[in-house]
């Protein structure tokens, strides 16, 4: 019986090659999209699942509420905060603090030259950690003791892979006591070796320096346990709750703790809360320096996209199957006359669907890894399809069965329900084929989804273009940024900068901490006592030299620029900061003494710059100031002289920069970034969203058009005699084309009316995440509607024109 079902199914499939190809192609695209998105979702949801008792592990996070009620959430911490919390609050099994830091590493090599290792990585693998870190996050120890390894100063625990990188394939026990030197000055000895995490984790740290080492002068200015006014994104605090203790019980203790330790400006309020470990990988509101953030809403959006694409592909199958019902009406009548039951016919038609779905699934499997490779820029490393994973096999079977039932159940029930008497006359289901309400509704649904994707794609592209091309208040062209590295003397940095200044193709050089429009500007308070009382608020700041303003093209609107200085002596503020201080005009701020939370400095304001975007367009411009503090100015930005220069001159100056770096820092790898590329990286998420929307739009349109092409072909074949009669009676080809195309274009028009308000609402909600955004203009809808109609017209015009130009003699010969 099963053999007969399969043979009959194969015959019917091979007999209708065009419709089979359309159905298989559409289903393959749908299944491939589902498979890729399933792999991404499974990968992202697997982070930290292996941690024992992970439900009791939380991160300490902060929320700051401004006087206007705006709340800012951040994972930035005061390094002393978790330590004080451990001794003053109850309900914890363990509390730990750690500090993420980027350092160069050298390893003594006997009488030979020490082996050097570059520390410049996207995410630093080095942290300064308390012993409690290993009591919260569990590792498999290959050598050393988790309870004592980090108790003493100048100790380090290494991961196995890091130990192999430093020392080669020595036995872990033999590495205990070996020396590692960080930034040429911090000498520590190995106290333990742990196995690297084999599963997905945001805690990819490999060097764990004992927190007790912070008493060394090397950490002066980095880890200050007495400073309760400096929030640092590199400082992190984690807790593990005692059994049967809830986060709510812990958080009830936080208000009193904050009041006793943290002083906030008037009108501002700070609060602490606990963020579950399971939320760390997903919550982008809490930025940090060591983890890559995924977005749960994005994952849900991807799942929705995959579902819609699969539904659109299934709709193609349903439409083409029901449209072909007249062709199979006699077959159904004969089978029923010979004793075939409705159930056996349903099984027969479902078998055909299952065969096509299986072929589609095989094609989807074959193209999944190439698709992942092609989209690696938007798909995380580590996502790939392995057919030998039980969960992947189960998902493939499940998606194949669900798709077969989704696409085939309704057509199977329709075809198997025909009455034999009518079927043998070739009438099938007259009501279904005459009105075709279902097919029309499904076409409207397909193009509604496609139009939502088209409108969404245009809006996203418009916003990305806006944020990448709008004047941000500074220059970003022909500027490259490199780093002198921490731990080197200021004098060595001066040598590096002076050599760069001597290059003929270099226009200007500035030393600073980070450039404008970057994530991670530090925040402290600023206060001023004026005639109307004292004002105090949080302000972001940047430490820099006097060349920062002219190099980045900041506009000075009052006062003067910073003067060369080795220490903090004066401030340059932005317009928003001047207004927050209570000055009506920028000139009024010049000469006024303000206090900031950097070493309790009280210095004058010497200038006001025009507002510029110190962060991304997600955030409104906030109070910001510039000052000189040379110990923090490790970055070097270089303005290239570009007038009349060719691309070869860029290569020449970069080669010269590399040569200078090698001379001054012989063990360091010269790395640089163009400033405009750094700004683009701030909007990496938006650019990924744009590419995903483009892909989803393309797939949805391709699948919808394949279905429309198939239906247009079938309609032309069904109405071939009608077309012949109309032509004999004098109908012009253009009228025939209008007749065949009009119904389909009307359905696309209805889809446009339905899709427009839905797309407007969805994109309006998406844009609310930006403080500076485009408006959703009428032209976006006009362009999208015109594009959809044009695409539909091109799709059906081939068959319509072919039918309109056919010789009526051939179609009427049998009459």
């Amino acid at each position: 019986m099963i053999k007969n079902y399969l043979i009959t199914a194969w015959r019917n499939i091979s007999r209708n090659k065009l419709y089979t190809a359309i159905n298989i192609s559409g289903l393959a695209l749908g299944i491939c999209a589902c498979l890729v998105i399933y792999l991404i979702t499974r990968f992202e949801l697997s982070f930290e699942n292996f941690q024992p008792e992970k439900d009791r592990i939380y991160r300490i996070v902060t929320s700051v509420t401004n006087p206007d009620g705006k709340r800012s959430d951040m994972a930035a911490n005061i390094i002393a905060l978790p330590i004080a919390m451990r001794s003053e609050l109850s309900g914890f099994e363990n509390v730990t603090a750690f500090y993420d830091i980027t350092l160069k590493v050298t390893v003594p090599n006997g009488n030979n030259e020490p082996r050097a290792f570059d520390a410049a990585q996207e995410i630093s693998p080095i942290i300064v950690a308390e012993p409690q870190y290993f009591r919260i996050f569990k590792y498999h120890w290959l050598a050393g003791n988790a309870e004592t390894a980090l108790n003493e100063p100048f100790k380090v625990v290494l991961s196995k892979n890091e130990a192999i990188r430093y020392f080669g394939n020595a036995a872990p026990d033999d590495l205990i006591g070996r020396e590692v030197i960080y930034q040429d000055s911090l000498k520590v000895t190995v106290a333990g070796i742990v196995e690297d995490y084999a599963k997905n984790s945001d805690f990819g740290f490999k060097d764990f320096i004992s927190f007790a080492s912070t008493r060394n002068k090397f950490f002066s200015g980095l880890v200050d346990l007495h400073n309760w006014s400096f929030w640092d994104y590199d400082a992190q605090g984690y807790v593990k709750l005692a059994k049967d203790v809830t986060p709510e019980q812990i958080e009830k203790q936080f208000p009193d703790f904050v009041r006793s330790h943290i002083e906030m400006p008037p009108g501002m309020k700070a609060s602490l809360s606990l963020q579950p470990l399971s939320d760390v990988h997903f919550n982008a509101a809490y930025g940090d320096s060591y983890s890559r953030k995924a977005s749960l809403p994005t994952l849900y959006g991807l799942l929705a996209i995959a579902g819609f694409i699969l539904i659109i592909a299934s709709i193609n199958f349903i439409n083409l199957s029901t449209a072909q019902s007249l062709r199979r009406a006699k077959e159904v009548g004969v089978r029923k006359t010979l004793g075939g039951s409705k159930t056996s016919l349903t099984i027969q038609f479902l078998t055909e669907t299952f065969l096509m779905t299986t072929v589609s699934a095989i094609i989807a499997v074959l193209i999944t890894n190439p698709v992942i490779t092609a989209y690696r820029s938007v798909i995380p490393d580590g996502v790939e399809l392995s057919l030998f994973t039980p969960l992947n096999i189960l998902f493939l079977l499940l998606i194949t069965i669900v798709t077969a039932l989704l696409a085939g159940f309704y057509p199977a029930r329709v075809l198997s329900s025909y009455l034999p008497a009518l079927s043998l006359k070739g009438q099938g289901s007259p009501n279904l084929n005459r009105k075709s309400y279902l097919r029309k509704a499904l076409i409207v649904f397909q193009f509604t989804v496609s139009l939502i994707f088209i409108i969404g794609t245009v809006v996203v592209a418009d916003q990305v273009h806006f944020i990448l091309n709008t004047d941000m208040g500074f220059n970003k062209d022909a500027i490259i940024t490199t780093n002198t590295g921490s731990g080197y003397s200021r004098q060595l940095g001066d040598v590096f900068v002076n050599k760069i200044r001597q290059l003929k193709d270099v226009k200007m050089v500035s030393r600073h901490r980070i450039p404008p429009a970057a994530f991670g500007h530090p925040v402290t308070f600023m206060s001023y006592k004026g005639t109307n009382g004292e004002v105090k608020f949080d302000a972001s700041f940047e430490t820099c030299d006097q060349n920062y303003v002219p190099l980045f093209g900041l506009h000075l609107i009052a006062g003067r620029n910073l003067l060369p200085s080795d220490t903090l002596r004066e401030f340059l503020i932005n317009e928003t900061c001047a207004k927050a201080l209570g000055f009506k005009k920028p000139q009024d701020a010049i000469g006024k003494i303000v206090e900031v939370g950097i070493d309790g400095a009280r210095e004058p304001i010497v200038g006001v710059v025009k507002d510029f975007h110190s962060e991304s367009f997600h955030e409104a411009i906030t109070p910001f100031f510039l000052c000189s503090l040379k110990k923090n100015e490790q970055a070097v930005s270089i303005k290239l002289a570009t007038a009349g220069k060719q691309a070869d001159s860029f290569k020449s100056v970069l080669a010269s920069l590399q040569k200078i770096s090698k001379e001054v820092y012989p063990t360091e790898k010269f790395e640089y970034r163009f400033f405009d590329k750094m700004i683009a990286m701030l909007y990496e998420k938006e650019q990924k969203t744009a590419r995903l929307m483009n892909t989803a739009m393309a797939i949805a349109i391709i699948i919808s058009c394949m279905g429309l092409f198939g239906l247009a072909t079938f309609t032309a074949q069904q109405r071939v005699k009608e077309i012949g009669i109309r032509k004999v009676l004098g109908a012009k080809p253009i009228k025939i084309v209008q007749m065949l195309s009009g119904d389909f274009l009307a359905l696309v028009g209805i889809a446009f009316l339905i899709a427009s308000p839905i797309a407007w609402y969805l994109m309006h909600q998406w844009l609310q995440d930006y403080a500076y955004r485009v408006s959703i203009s009428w032209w976006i809808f006009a362009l999208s509607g015109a594009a959809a109609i044009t695409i539909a017209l091109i799709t059906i015009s081939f068959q319509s024109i072919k039918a309109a130009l056919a010789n009526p003699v051939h179609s009427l010969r049998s009459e």
Side-chain angles (χ1 to χ4, degrees), residues 717 719-725 727-728 802-803 805-815:
Q717 291 173 352
R719 303 179 69 175
V720 65
K721 288 185 173 61
E722 175 191 346
I723 293 170
I725 293 172
K727 292 191 71 174
V728 169
K802 181 180 177 181
L805 296 178
N807 191 338
V809 173
H810 299 298
S811 59
L812 298 176
R813 183 178 297 164
S814 60
E815 295 300 319

Side-chain angles (χ1 to χ4, degrees), residues 76-126:
N77 223 311
I78 297 171
I79 192 64
L81 189 148
I83 300 171
M85 191 177 288
R86 180 167 55 233
S87 60
E88 297 179 23
L89 304 183
S90 61
F92 302 120
E93 182 176 298
N94 270 304
V95 179
T96 189
F98 67 82
Y99 192 89
D100 191 22
I101 188 169
T102 301
L103 300 171
K104 183 191 69 171
V105 182
T106 53
V107 177
N109 191 23
N111 295 326
N112 300 319
E113 187 75 17
R115 300 172 62 196
F117 300 90
D118 182 31
Q121 298 185 27
E122 289 294 324
I123 297 177
S124 173
I126 304 171

Side-chain angles (χ1 to χ4, degrees), residues 78-358:
I78 297 171
I79 192 64
L81 189 148
I83 300 171
M85 191 177 288
R86 180 167 55 233
S87 60
E88 297 179 23
L89 304 183
S90 61
F92 302 120
E93 182 176 298
N94 270 304
V95 179
T96 189
F98 67 82
Y99 192 89
D100 191 22
I101 188 169
T102 301
L103 300 171
K104 183 191 69 171
V105 182
T106 53
V107 177
N109 191 23
N111 295 326
N112 300 319
E113 187 75 17
R115 300 172 62 196
F117 300 90
D118 182 31
Q121 298 185 27
E122 289 294 324
I123 297 177
S124 173
I126 304 171
I127 60 171
V128 183
E130 292 191 293
Q132 290 83 357
Y133 178 89
F134 288 112
R135 298 168 196 167
I136 294 177
F137 301 104
K138 301 300 182 182
Y139 289 77
H140 175 61
W141 285 73
L142 303 176
N145 189 307
E147 295 297 321
T148 60
L150 294 184
N151 286 349
E152 299 178 8
F154 311 116
K155 299 292 183 182
V156 66
V157 173
L158 300 176
S159 74
K160 178 182 177 181
N161 289 339
E162 193 80 330
I164 292 173
R165 191 165 77 103
Y166 291 166
F167 301 105
N169 291 313
D173 288 328
D174 295 339
L175 298 178
I176 302 299
R178 296 286 294 271
E179 187 177 63
V180 180
I181 304 173
Y182 292 95
Q183 214 65 38
D184 296 330
S185 58
L186 181 66
K187 297 181 179 181
V188 299
T189 56
V190 177
I193 306 293
V194 296
E195 193 76 64
D196 293 83
Y197 282 149
K199 298 184 179 179
N200 293 330
S201 174
D202 284 315
F203 298 85
F205 307 123
K206 300 177 183 297
D207 300 54
F208 308 87
I209 302 172
S210 61
F211 202 85
S213 305
T214 57
R215 67 189 65 171
N216 185 279
K217 65 178 183 179
F218 175 84
F219 290 100
S220 176
L222 285 177
V223 181
D224 186 352
L225 296 178
H226 303 288
N227 190 342
W228 282 85
S229 62
F230 186 73
W231 301 87
D232 195 336
Y233 280 94
D234 292 324
Q236 296 284 292
Y238 279 82
V239 304
K240 185 175 183 179
L241 306 187
K243 291 183 179 179
D244 301 323
V245 174
T246 64
E248 291 75 20
Q249 291 173 309
I250 299 294
E251 289 173 344
K252 286 180 181 178
Q253 306 174 69
F254 285 166
D256 290 338
F257 180 82
V258 170
R259 280 191 292 270
S260 63
H261 287 286
I262 303 173
E263 182 182 355
M264 295 297 293
M268 300 188 68
K269 179 181 178 182
S271 60
L272 301 177
S273 58
L274 296 179
Q275 180 190 17
L277 180 63
S278 58
D279 189 53
V280 170
H281 184 65
F282 296 101
N283 199 331
Y286 300 106
D288 54 59
S289 58
Y290 58 88
S291 65
R292 176 188 62 81
K293 298 300 179 188
S295 170
L296 272 179
T298 299
L299 289 181
Y300 296 148
L302 288 174
L303 291 173
I305 288 172
F308 278 124
I309 290 174
L310 192 60
I311 289 172
I312 290 173
S314 300
I315 286 172
N316 272 359
F317 192 98
I318 294 170
N319 273 344
L320 293 177
S321 296
T322 54
Q324 294 179 77
S325 58
L326 285 177
R327 288 186 172 183
R328 305 194 66 175
K330 291 184 179 180
E331 175 192 344
V332 172
V334 171
R335 285 177 175 271
K336 283 195 169 184
T337 301
L338 296 176
S341 65
K342 185 176 181 179
T343 300
S344 65
L345 288 170
T346 300
I347 294 174
Q348 174 63 58
F349 295 129
L350 282 175
T351 301
E352 295 177 18
T353 306
F354 183 76
L355 275 179
M356 282 192 281
T357 308
T358 301

Side-chain angles (χ1 to χ4, degrees), residues 54-72:
K54 64 184 180 68
D55 293 338
R56 291 200 281 139
I57 301 175
Y58 292 81
R59 178 164 66 172
I60 305 166
V61 293
T62 308
S63 296
V64 176
T65 304
N66 294 326
D68 59 3
K70 181 182 177 182
R71 170 174 162 168
S72 299

